[in-house]
Each structure stands twice: as structure tokens, then as C-alpha cells.
Amino acid sequence: MIARNCIHMRGMVRGVGFRPFVHRLASRLELSGWVRNHPGHVHIEVQGMPQALEVFVQALRAEAPRQARIESVQIDPIPVLSDESATFRIDEGEDSGPATPRFSADLAPCPACLAEMFDPEDRRYLDPFITCAECGPRWTIALAAPYDRRFTVRDEFPPCAACRAESEDPRGRRFHAGPISCPRCGPSLRFDGPEPGPFDPIASLWTALDAGQIGAIKGPGGYHLVCDADRDHAVQELRRRKASDQKPLAVMVASLERARRWCEISPQEAALLESPRRPIVLLRLRPHASPSSGIGQGSPDLGVMLPSSPLHHLIFANRTQRAIVMTSGNLSDQPMAFDDNDARARLAGMADFVLAHDRPIRVRCDDSVTRVAAGSELIVRRARGHVPEPIRLPRDGDSSILALGGQQNVTIGLTRDRLAYLSHDLGDLGESANFQAFEKSVEHFERLFAFSPQVIVHDMHPDYASSAFAHRRGGRLLRVQHHHAHVASGMADNGLDELVIGVALDGSGYGTDGTIWGGEFLVADTSGFHRAAHLRAVPMPGGDRCVREPWRMAFSHLGDAELPPDLLRGRVSDADLALVAAAMPPKVSTPRTSSAGRLFDAVAVLAGLPPCVRVEGRASIELEWRSACERPDGEYPFRIEEGVPLTIDTRPLIAAVARDAVQGVSPGRIGRRFHSTLVALIAEVCGRIRATTGLDAVVLSGGVFLNVLLLEETLERLGRDGFRVYRHRQVPPNDGGLSLGQLAIASAWASRHLTESPERGGADGSGQPRPGRKD
């Protein structure tokens, strides 16, 4: 008996080869009907034997194109059409109705394209721009919506007759694949260097690398600076030119087998490396592994990536055992170069040669960085391969909201149809070039998504560049406390809509009491929060100078514990110590902070690590590296002072660290005890909050939870204590995930208050829930 179903599939199902996939599947199962695009989803009507229809529905999920994201499938039986053709067709018409434009992320070449690229008989043999409907650039070449060739940079390259025929053939995987081309009609590769080399641009690249030169390669989302990873001199010279002498560098290798020469790789890590997203994956170095010492700068981990574009595959085709340093094409802390003219100007003194092409990049998008922690992925930087894939918010809402993030690791975000769309990491807005990129990103997002915000949400800090931008922009503004946004980000990341205990540990965030928070325990949901506990606040001498001079926080914590600064003498000049002493309260009004990140810095310096750093958090990161090599070795004491909120007294901890340091205990062992202490502290405070509130859900957020040792042991301890523990999975726990939390809070606020007249000026008027109030 014949049956007929109407199927609506929602999610990332447009611009990913979904209709050709449906056509091939239905034809294979001898089903009739049609498939057409609808704004926001794909609409299918399919007719045939019930058993075949059942197989069809199952295969829609199981065999979908690899970049498709199916969020929902609605199946409704409808009357059979007796006069329908026996074939299945792709309907070129499109159902009417408004919907949010959807764009796919850039993805690495699929196996089918790679097979063609290395087939001497194929017309795309050795084509560095080969792509199909299931792989290749999407987001970085989009000019406007809907996603179609005429609205991408590929419109500059008219297709030849053969490519046009492929794009019109519903049986092939290039049907309606906007970016397709071939060597006859597509972009061209070029090599620019100081000396003429072989005609082959790839051969010229290797000639230059073998000579120890530094180069620039135009990748999917921008330019990378490159050098031979096995040449110490080249690596150090790249660092000098880039002005980045403390950040670890990433390397690109041809295969998992080559990566295993240097690194230990688990099955989960292998899956991340080989995924279509092609992120940089942080892997543990093998004992006695021998990459250039200048790559990791002392890190026990190495950032490794596999080829992410056809060009990268061609580079390694005959050099499978080589490794190339692959780092963003920029000066340290500035945006990655992606425009050809800008790249020529900015990279002129940094690159000896350039391997580029004439396909424009419309949107800058750096490499994503990730790792495995506690058996699952922990994203460090969400960019190429992820952006702009949406994240579903926990609550329904139809408000149009723009979120501006914070000040560092900034991402912007917007909401449409209960979905959050986040940008790639835009860096530190204190750098003027980054702020200009931030402004352009806001403009580009609004244009691509046909978006006009009803609400703009920003951080509470009055001096953040993003906050100033919001006020210049005007309209209905909502300010959100930094750590409330962190906790809400963790909730949205896990689809939570309930009251939770939020543990937000980071470097800094403006508090509702005017101090700098950063070691926070909140009772929160997306509607409001109250501060249940926090680390004891101490002076922050010199304000933001403490970030690059962590000895200042060591001085402050010693003074708070009524200890002399003897551990700093000989490592910090007497003049600087005297200057800071003169600037401490009550002599001078100095900002106070409860920051967990600054506590980490203080302990690192007291343990014997360098008193000054050139990269924020370097002291804390190095303390983690040292600690990870040690076995558990006890805990330091701490006290919890009763009150509302609870205060975690760190003075006993600091005194014990100082005693260990004086007695010559190694930095690694001190650090290991400190990590164990933080885990015990988190568990005890969460236990006390549960005793008074009955809550058992804990959300871990904030940049400190990029520390894998701390994260894994906290998860294990809280789980053992009977808590439901949630950590980040789709966005980073640092400020790169802040805009997601802002969107979740603003969406909840808008559902209650958007019909009210806007108020301006006060905290409540701009939408900030009063501490302790849930409405």
C-alpha cells in the first residue's frame, strides 16, 4: 500500500548539498515526490512503499552531508497523489515566508574532492581550489544572503560550460554548489619571492623554506606566517618579526602518522584533527620529542593541525614527513591579515615570500583551537570551521538582540528565531586595529543576517571599548554583569534553563560593588543572580599593570597575609618594591580584586616563576605546566568566613605557599598543592551553597577553566560529591563565550520587559537584574 509523507527539516540544511542528497536517496529507494528550499528549512514530499519511506527517514539523519546540522524533523502523513510522476525531483521554487539567512562554516576538502584532485585523469587534477556542495569555503566568501554563487566572491570567476553543467545536474554532488570551478575557470595561484624559483609555486615554496626563509601563505580565512618547523633559526626569526616571544606556535603536518612522531594522540584527539573543521588541536608531546625548542616555549603541549584546504594538501603531497610552523599573519595581538592589499603592506617586513591566489576572502576567520579535557572537547578559540554555526538558546524568544562581548577575546553575537550566531574571536579591543575589525564585524553581521537589533547588550564595565561602542550606537541598551554572563554562557552551552550554582573564575570583570571580581560563586539563572561567595578581595597595585607584572599581585597577597615581601627581593628592584608599597592602601586608593586569575599569578611568582610576563596569563599557564608533571601532594589551608556573601580567606594559603618557597619546594610541587587546594575550595563552597539552597547543578565557567588540570579534577570531585556538573563544550569558557551568555540573559529579559518603555541611566534601567532578585 502506497503512502505519502510531508517532511520539514530544520537546521543547517541549506548551502550544504542537502537537496541533491535527498534526491539521490529518494531515487535509490525508488520513491517519488519533490524537495524544495523553504526559508529556514527544507520541505520534502515523498511517496512510496511504507518500508522504503521508513528507510528514507532514517537515512535523512544517518547519511546527511557532513556539514549539515539537523535540529528537528517534522513528519506528517498526507494524501497520496495518484497522478504523480514515478520520479523524484528537485523543485527550483521556494516557499515564501521570512526566515533568518543561514550560512555554513568553511570546511576542509571532502574525501571525494581529494580523490579527484590527485587523479591524473580527472579534469581537476592538482586543482588548489577544488570544492563541491559538501566542502570548501562558505562563510569566508559570502557577500550577502541567500548563500548563492552570485552573492559570493566566486561570482568574479564565471563558470566554464563543464562546471555549469555540473552545477545544474541534480544527480551530482556539485548541484547548486556556488563556489565550484576548475583550473580553466577558477582562481589562479601565484608565488612572489625575492629570487626567481621554479615555475611551480609549490616547488618555489619548498625551495624558500629549505633556505630557512619566512613566508606567508593565503589560507581559507586569512594569511599565515610560515617557516620550516625543524629549523631553530627560522622559528626564532619568525618570532622576532612577529614580536611574539612567549606564545606557543602551531604546526601543520600532512597526517596523523606524522603528528604521532612528536605527540601522543588519543582517539578523541585524532577525530578532532581529522574532522572537517580542521582545528588546531593541543596535543601532549612525547618524552624526548624534538620539534624546534622555539615552537612551544616550554609547553608540554604542541598545537597541531592537518591540511585545511586543497592548497595545503598540495603543499604536503610530496613532503609527507615535513612540518611547517603555521601562525596567524599579523604582529602579535593584531588582527590576522586577509585582504591582499593590506597583507602586502602589513607583512612586507615579515615575509620573505608569499604564496597567494586571486580569490578574495570576504570575512577574516582565524583557525579554531581546541583540545580534549575529561574525555570530550574543550574549545579554546572558536573560529574557522565553527563560525557562524548557530547555538540554540534555552528559552524561546523572537527578539532581535546584538551582544558585544567584553574587552578581550571578544566575540559578537546576535539572536534570531531562538538561535545565537557568534563571530570568530576578534581579539583585544584595546588594540585600535582590533577595534576597527570589531566595528566592521558588527556591520557585516547585520548586513548578512538582514538584522536590526531591538536590544544591544554589553558588559557592565564602563571603560570597555565595547561598552563605549554600545552607547555611541544608542538604542535600547542592556548591561550585564561579566560573571553572570559567564555562567549564563555555560548554561546556554548546555541547554539549561534552571537555577544553578555558577562557579566563574577568571582574570577580571567589573562587579556590581565597583570592585574587580574574578573568583565568584553565583546563584543564577538567565533572569538574575546573587553573589553567594567570592575569594577575598585584595589591592591590585597599578591596576592593569598587574597583568604583565604579576609580582605586583604577589606583593599584594603577601601584604594582605601580613608577610614581608622578602621572596620578591633580588627578583624585583628595591625601587619598584618601594614604589608599590607607597601606592598601597590606606596611602592611596587602589582598586581591589577577588580575581582567581590574579591569585594564580601571585602563587606562580611566589613559587619562583618569572615576576614579569609579556603575555597575559603566562605565569598561570606555566604554573599549570609545572603542576601537571607532579602527583597530588596535599593541600594548603584556607578559611571560609560566614556572611552574605561567604568570603574565602586566602591568607592561610598564601602563608603556606610562602613557607614552601622559602624551604626550597619546587614550583611544580607548590603549583600541584595549589591546584588541589582550589579543587577542595570549590567543592566546599558549592557544598555550603547546596546546603542552603538545595541546588545541585553546578556550571563551571571563566578563563581559569581552560586549565585542564583544574577542570578535570574539579569535575571529578564535584561529581563524586553528588553534583550535576556542566562545563563548556560549544564555546570557550573564557571571554570568547561571553556574548553567548549576554544573548541568553538579554533574551530572557526581553521576553519580560521589551514591551515596556526604555529607561536609561541606572543599572536597573539598562536591564541589569538587581543582585539577589529573580523576576
Side-chain angles (χ1 to χ4, degrees):
M1 181 177 180
I2 301 296
R4 186 178 184 88
N5 287 334
C6 174
I7 304 173
H8 293 277
M9 304 197 68
R10 300 182 183 276
M12 184 60 68
V13 289
R14 296 193 57 176
V16 296
F18 203 86
R19 287 185 302 159
F21 154 69
V22 173
H23 180 276
R24 292 193 298 271
L25 176 61
S27 299
R28 186 181 84 204
L29 296 171
E30 299 182 348
L31 299 171
S32 63
W34 49 262
V35 58
R36 73 162 63 113
N37 279 333
H38 182 282
H41 69 272
V42 166
H43 183 181
I44 304 168
E45 289 198 13
V46 60
Q47 181 169 303
M49 298 299 293
Q51 300 93 326
L53 291 175
E54 184 177 345
V55 173
F56 177 80
V57 169
Q58 293 173 350
L60 284 176
R61 286 187 180 274
E63 302 177 22
R66 59 182 188 159
Q67 67 266 53
R69 284 185 58 187
I70 299 171
E71 296 168 0
S72 67
V73 179
Q74 179 182 336
I75 305 170
D76 297 307
I78 56 176
V80 170
L81 298 182
S82 58
D83 58 346
E84 182 168 70
S85 165
T87 60
F88 193 90
R89 70 182 189 275
I90 295 176
D91 193 332
E92 296 302 325
E94 181 163 311
D95 295 344
S96 62
T100 302
R102 301 290 286 267
F103 300 90
S104 172
D106 288 22
L107 297 175
C110 67
C113 280
L114 288 178
E116 291 176 348
M117 187 173 75
F118 290 111
D119 179 0
E121 302 301 318
D122 195 274
R123 70 187 188 92
R124 291 188 173 88
Y125 179 54
L126 302 184
D127 179 6
F129 307 101
I130 191 169
T131 184
C132 69
E134 297 188 18
C135 68
R138 294 290 188 273
W139 173 245
T140 56
I141 64 173
L143 299 173
Y147 179 76
D148 188 85
R149 187 184 188 106
R150 69 187 187 276
F151 296 132
T152 73
V153 300
R154 277 299 186 99
D155 198 42
E156 299 179 17
F157 303 91
C160 64
C163 286
R164 184 178 297 108
E166 283 184 303
S167 71
E168 295 171 355
D169 182 0
R171 297 167 297 177
R173 70 178 201 284
R174 291 190 171 94
F175 178 68
H176 275 209
I180 69 165
S181 65
C182 69
R184 290 183 57 193
C185 61
S188 58
L189 202 60
R190 69 174 188 274
F191 179 88
D192 299 322
E195 299 178 5
F199 178 74
D200 180 359
I202 304 298
S204 298
L205 166 80
W206 282 109
T207 298
L209 291 176
D210 289 341
Q213 293 183 9
I214 312 299
I217 297 177
K218 189 175 182 180
Y223 281 81
H224 289 94
L225 289 171
V226 301
C227 71
D228 188 336
D230 289 306
R231 295 176 185 270
D232 287 343
H233 173 75
V235 174
Q236 295 298 347
E237 178 62 14
L238 187 154
R239 283 193 174 279
R240 185 191 68 79
R241 296 184 189 183
K242 188 177 167 70
S244 176
D245 58 354
Q246 285 196 327
K247 292 182 179 179
L249 301 171
V251 298
M252 179 177 282
V253 296
S255 64
L256 277 178
E257 290 68 29
R258 177 59 182 84
R260 285 193 173 103
R261 281 179 49 190
W262 282 343
C263 301
E264 299 170 353
I265 305 177
S266 70
Q268 297 100 318
E269 290 164 338
L272 289 173
L273 282 167
E274 293 188 312
S275 73
R277 302 183 193 279
R278 282 297 196 273
I280 296 170
V281 182
L282 301 181
L283 305 171
R284 183 52 51 100
L285 281 167
R286 291 184 181 277
H288 313 300
S290 56
S292 168
S293 59
I295 293 176
Q297 295 296 83
S299 172
D301 301 323
L302 179 65
V304 177
M305 62 191 302
L306 299 185
S308 59
S309 72
L311 175 58
H312 294 142
H313 280 278
L314 287 176
I315 288 172
F316 284 99
N318 298 313
R319 302 290 198 286
T320 58
Q321 297 307 307
R322 301 294 293 272
I324 298 176
V325 168
M326 189 80 66
T327 186
S328 301
N330 55 2
L331 279 172
S332 185
D333 297 326
Q334 291 190 0
M336 184 186 197
F338 74 104
D339 174 79
D340 292 340
N341 293 329
D342 177 54
R344 277 193 289 270
R346 290 171 56 198
L347 304 181
M350 303 169 69
D352 301 315
F353 66 87
V354 178
L355 179 63
H357 50 78
D358 56 354
R359 184 187 72 200
I361 298 171
R362 181 60 187 90
V363 183
R364 173 194 296 110
C365 205
D366 211 336
D367 303 308
S368 292
V369 182
T370 192
R371 69 185 312 160
V372 172
S376 60
E377 184 176 14
L378 174 65
I379 296 176
V380 178
R381 180 172 69 199
R382 186 178 187 269
R384 181 185 49 76
H386 287 278
V387 175
E389 290 184 358
I391 298 171
R392 184 164 292 278
L393 294 173
R395 289 192 179 187
D396 287 322
D398 56 3
S399 303
S400 298
I401 301 167
L402 173 66
L404 301 177
Q407 179 76 359
Q408 296 176 320
N409 302 119
V410 169
T411 60
I412 61 170
L414 58 85
T415 58
R416 292 286 296 270
D417 305 324
R418 198 186 165 188
L419 296 174
Y421 299 84
L422 306 186
S423 74
H424 61 286
D425 192 318
L426 299 170
D428 181 354
L429 298 191
E431 292 281 342
S432 61
N434 288 333
F435 184 73
Q436 292 172 13
F438 165 86
E439 291 182 304
K440 290 179 180 178
S441 293
V442 171
E443 176 186 338
H444 188 63
F445 253 64
E446 291 182 330
R447 181 172 61 253
L448 279 185
F449 288 96
F451 179 82
S452 180
Q454 297 168 282
V455 179
I456 298 177
V457 55
H458 63 93
D459 194 273
M460 278 187 66
H461 200 301
D463 296 329
Y464 278 2
S466 54
S467 299
F469 174 86
H471 285 279
R472 287 196 301 273
R473 174 75 179 260
R476 188 148 200 167
L477 305 183
L478 178 71
R479 57 179 180 173
V480 171
Q481 200 280 323
H482 189 91
H483 300 95
H484 185 204
H486 268 307
V487 174
S489 176
M491 293 177 64
D493 199 333
N494 288 279
L496 296 178
D497 185 17
E498 60 181 286
L499 202 60
V500 303
I501 302 170
V503 183
L505 306 182
D506 68 353
S508 66
Y510 195 77
T512 56
D513 60 358
T515 66
I516 306 301
W517 291 5
E520 310 306 314
F521 294 77
L522 308 180
V523 170
D525 61 9
T526 54
S527 297
F529 76 95
H530 74 260
R531 195 183 191 195
H534 61 85
L535 294 176
R536 177 180 168 88
V538 300
M540 196 174 176
D544 288 342
R545 291 186 65 179
C546 292
V547 171
R548 300 296 176 93
E549 300 176 25
W551 67 266
R552 291 172 175 266
M553 289 308 304
F555 184 100
S556 178
H557 274 283
L558 286 172
D560 186 54
E562 299 182 355
L563 297 171
D566 295 346
L567 282 170
L568 302 176
R569 299 194 188 281
R571 302 163 62 201
V572 179
S573 72
D574 290 341
D576 281 342
L577 290 174
L579 191 65
V580 169
M584 294 289 281
K587 303 170 187 175
V588 175
S589 176
T590 301
R592 300 181 69 84
T593 183
S594 59
S595 167
R598 300 290 81 83
L599 175 62
F600 251 102
D601 287 350
V603 172
V605 172
L606 293 178
L609 298 184
C612 296
V613 297
R614 287 176 288 278
V615 177
E616 180 179 4
R618 168 71 189 202
S620 303
I621 292 169
E622 188 166 347
L623 188 67
E624 178 193 358
W625 294 345
R626 302 283 189 98
S627 304
C629 299
E630 301 283 343
R631 294 183 177 182
D633 189 34
E635 303 165 4
Y636 291 125
F638 60 88
R639 288 191 294 266
I640 297 180
E641 299 178 351
E642 297 296 337
V644 181
L646 300 171
T647 300
I648 304 150
D649 188 350
T650 54
R651 290 174 295 182
L653 184 161
I654 293 295
V657 168
R659 282 195 301 272
D660 273 358
V662 168
Q663 293 171 8
V665 177
S666 70
R669 182 164 293 185
I670 291 174
R672 192 64 182 82
R673 292 172 179 170
F674 175 62
H675 280 78
S676 297
T677 304
L678 280 184
V679 172
L681 180 158
I682 292 168
E684 182 167 341
V685 174
C686 287
R688 293 201 183 196
I689 297 173
R690 177 171 59 184
T692 58
T693 64
L695 299 175
D696 69 345
V698 177
V699 172
L700 307 178
S701 191
V704 170
F705 284 112
L706 285 173
N707 181 319
V708 173
L709 177 61
L710 180 68
L711 175 63
E712 291 184 334
E713 296 205 347
T714 302
L715 289 169
E716 192 278 331
R717 174 65 183 272
L718 290 177
R720 196 171 70 230
D721 289 350
F723 287 98
R724 292 181 290 130
V725 193
Y726 300 91
R727 38 76 66 95
H728 284 269
R729 298 178 186 276
Q730 300 181 80
V731 298
N734 65 11
D735 285 8
L738 209 62
S739 60
L740 177 62
Q742 292 174 338
L743 290 174
I745 292 169
S747 182
W749 177 86
S751 67
R752 301 188 309 273
H753 301 299
L754 197 57
T755 57
E756 300 173 6
S757 60
E759 299 175 305
R760 304 298 298 274
D764 294 318
S766 60
Q768 172 61 32
R770 293 187 183 94
R773 187 189 74 183
K774 277 187 74 272
D775 49 21

